[in-house]
Amino acid sequence: MTRPVDNLLALAVLSYLTQGPMHPYELGRTLQQHGDARSIRYRHASLYMVVDRLAAAGLIVAVDTGREGARPERTRYALTDAGQAELTGWLRELLAEPAHEYPHLVAALAFLGALAPEEVVAALDRRLLGLATVRTETAGIVEEATVGGVHPLFLVEEEYRLAMLDAEVRFVQGLRSRIEDPATGWRAAWSRTAPQQEESPA
Amino acid sequence: MTRPVDNLLALAVLSYLTQGPMHPYELGRTLQQHGDARSIRYRHASLYMVVDRLAAAGLIVAVDTGREGARPERTRYALTDAGQAELTGWLRELLAEPAHEYPHLVAALAFLGALAPEEVVAALDRRLLGLATVRTETAGIVEEATVGGVHPLFLVEEEYRLAMLDAEVRFVQGLRSRIEDPATGWRAAWSRTAPQQEESPA
DNA sequence: GGGGTCATGTAATAGGTTACATGATTCT
DNA sequence: AGAATCATGTAACCTATTACATGACCCC
């Protein structure tokens, strides 16, 4: 990916600017209120960095330095044609090409053997509780927005999250039972791995 | 997470060192050969950085500077008790606590409206092809290892990936048909969003 | 009208990646 | 023996995050 600015915050900026010029702070507020900070890692200072880089790359331009009331100057930025093209091209790529990613859980699963099986089962049980909580919260967000008249088009990310959460729950349950079932020989495999040190649970 | 070294590469290092002291290059090779680079982002230089930080934090210690043959000196590191505790505690946390993550697809879904519906459908179709390819590759890795006598305990990460891939495929198919089905009113919602510019497909 | 909080931006630092460097091994 | 490649490490650079700074607004 040879994008001039590869931070996904830039995608949000480009997208918002299709609606007209904005200044950075406004972009940040929109991101929060719109709930997009759930989809894109947002740090206040990163936004200014990203905006600067987008401007340097010619994807956005400063249009005016509107001074409203006694507020300090705020530079407003507008989308350029190149910026518009970048936005649609980038979106198409993100949708069309599956990316290899590195979720935390995958790393943990790769090194399961360093924990005793009982510990793994206990941890997975805790995870199932946590997953249930997250699922409830996410479903609540969708529900509330839907009641408020938001069209599902603007909730697809949350629907995706729900689908992934459900799949993860099923996987974890399956893993849990495979570990506990003596017929699968998991315990035996475990005993052939490193000698287990026992630590007091966190 | 207030871990002294929060890069997941460190988890791999700690895990490998439970088997005995190693020098950095050996750690890197193990990571590659063992296939763990599929689970943890691995960059040659990052390994040295991580090893230094682990040593500074007292989680590992340099044990000797074995000079073998004419090779340059290689510092070997061993796990300390603190390192062992860090490993198990970290693993338990990773397993037990679902992390909020930011996959690329979620960001794209959040801004679907900036693309015309036909473009989205076309991109999703391409993704389905790509997902099928990745699935085949992953299943192949699992199959080959299993035939080679590897116990499923050491393939859990890949099984997890497969589960997530399948769930994503189902989600994408569902999304695709919801967009195309005129009864869902998605087209109408789309027309109320930004004016669509058309760009030549990437 | 002064203390607290929000709005808005900048600077300092830390984390990680690319690119470079150097000696050993192998191949012909 | 010279070229190419592998082994191993370092350094320079870039990105992103945390921490700091400054003015406006709000509330008794």
Side-chain angles (χ1 to χ4, degrees):
Chain A
M1 84 204 71
T2 179
R3 309 250 154 235
V5 185
D6 75 348
N7 188 324
L8 286 174
L9 252 189
L11 190 74
V13 170
L14 294 174
S15 175
Y16 293 153
L17 292 187
T18 61
Q19 312 288 340
M22 290 192 197
H23 52 85
Y25 195 83
E26 205 174 344
L27 289 164
R29 235 182 10 212
T30 308
L31 214 113
Q32 306 254 44
Q33 289 174 355
H34 209 64
D36 290 331
R38 281 174 55 80
S39 304
I40 293 185
R41 178 188 309 277
Y42 170 57
R43 291 288 173 275
H44 167 64
S46 306
L47 187 55
Y48 290 87
M49 183 191 47
V50 159
V51 164
D52 283 350
R53 290 217 287 269
L54 285 172
L59 303 179
I60 64 178
V61 274
V63 285
D64 60 18
T65 300
R67 176 184 290 278
E68 288 179 16
R71 294 299 187 71
E73 293 197 10
R74 292 167 307 181
T75 310
R76 296 158 58 90
Y77 292 88
L79 201 58
T80 65
D81 287 353
Q84 172 68 47
E86 177 72 9
L87 171 61
T88 56
W90 195 358
L91 274 174
R92 268 192 291 259
E93 178 185 320
L94 287 170
L95 288 177
E97 298 172 14
H100 187 96
E101 289 174 304
Y102 300 86
H104 282 29
L105 181 57
V106 167
L109 293 178
F111 298 105
L112 266 198
L115 242 42
E118 300 76 26
E119 291 182 300
V120 172
V121 169
L124 292 179
D125 283 341
R126 287 221 283 138
R127 170 171 282 260
L128 287 172
L129 293 179
L131 288 173
T133 303
V134 173
R135 196 197 195 287
T136 302
E137 286 168 5
T138 307
I141 289 175
V142 172
E143 171 66 11
E144 193 178 342
T146 302
V147 166
V150 175
H151 190 276
L153 168 58
F154 304 104
L155 296 165
V156 202
E157 337 84 91
E158 302 297 349
E159 296 287 358
Y160 175 75
R161 258 192 256 280
L162 288 174
M164 293 301 119
L165 281 170
D166 290 344
E168 183 173 317
V169 166
R170 285 192 300 273
F171 174 83
V172 170
Q173 283 167 343
L175 174 59
R176 206 208 110 106
S177 42
R178 268 182 294 162
I179 295 175
E180 289 211 317
D181 184 345
T184 62
W186 280 60
R187 299 312 187 96
W190 232 293
S191 62
R192 265 177 279 110
T193 190
Q196 267 106 52
Q197 287 80 349
E198 64 296 325
E199 298 290 330
S200 58
Chain B
M1 82 206 68
T2 179
R3 308 249 154 236
V5 185
D6 74 349
N7 189 323
L8 286 173
L9 253 188
L11 190 74
V13 170
L14 294 174
S15 174
Y16 293 153
L17 292 187
T18 60
Q19 312 289 338
M22 290 193 195
H23 53 85
Y25 195 84
E26 204 175 344
L27 289 165
R29 234 183 9 213
T30 307
L31 213 112
Q32 306 254 45
Q33 289 175 356
H34 208 65
D36 290 330
R38 281 174 56 81
S39 304
I40 292 186
R41 177 187 311 277
Y42 170 58
R43 289 291 172 274
H44 167 64
S46 306
L47 188 55
Y48 290 87
M49 183 189 49
V50 159
V51 164
D52 283 350
R53 291 219 285 270
L54 284 171
L59 303 179
I60 65 179
V61 274
V63 285
D64 59 20
T65 300
R67 177 183 289 278
E68 288 179 15
R71 294 298 186 69
E73 296 197 8
R74 293 167 305 182
T75 310
R76 296 157 58 90
Y77 293 88
L79 199 60
T80 64
D81 287 352
Q84 171 69 47
E86 177 71 10
L87 171 60
T88 56
W90 195 359
L91 276 173
R92 267 192 291 261
E93 178 186 319
L94 288 170
L95 288 177
E97 299 173 14
H100 187 96
E101 288 172 304
Y102 300 86
H104 283 30
L105 181 56
V106 167
L109 292 178
F111 299 106
L112 266 198
L115 243 41
E118 300 76 25
E119 291 182 300
V120 172
V121 169
L124 293 179
D125 283 341
R126 287 220 285 137
R127 170 172 283 261
L128 287 172
L129 292 180
L131 289 173
T133 302
V134 174
R135 198 200 194 285
T136 302
E137 287 168 4
T138 307
I141 290 175
V142 171
E143 171 66 11
E144 193 177 341
T146 302
V147 166
V150 175
H151 191 276
L153 168 57
F154 305 105
L155 295 166
V156 202
E157 336 85 90
E158 301 297 348
E159 296 288 357
Y160 174 74
R161 258 191 256 281
L162 289 174
M164 293 301 120
L165 280 170
D166 290 343
E168 184 173 316
V169 166
R170 284 193 300 274
F171 174 84
V172 169
Q173 284 168 340
L175 174 58
R176 206 207 110 106
S177 44
R178 267 181 294 162
I179 295 174
E180 288 210 317
D181 184 345
T184 61
W186 280 57
R187 300 310 187 96
W190 233 293
S191 63
R192 266 176 277 109
T193 189
Q196 268 106 50
Q197 287 81 348
E198 64 297 321
E199 298 290 332
S200 58

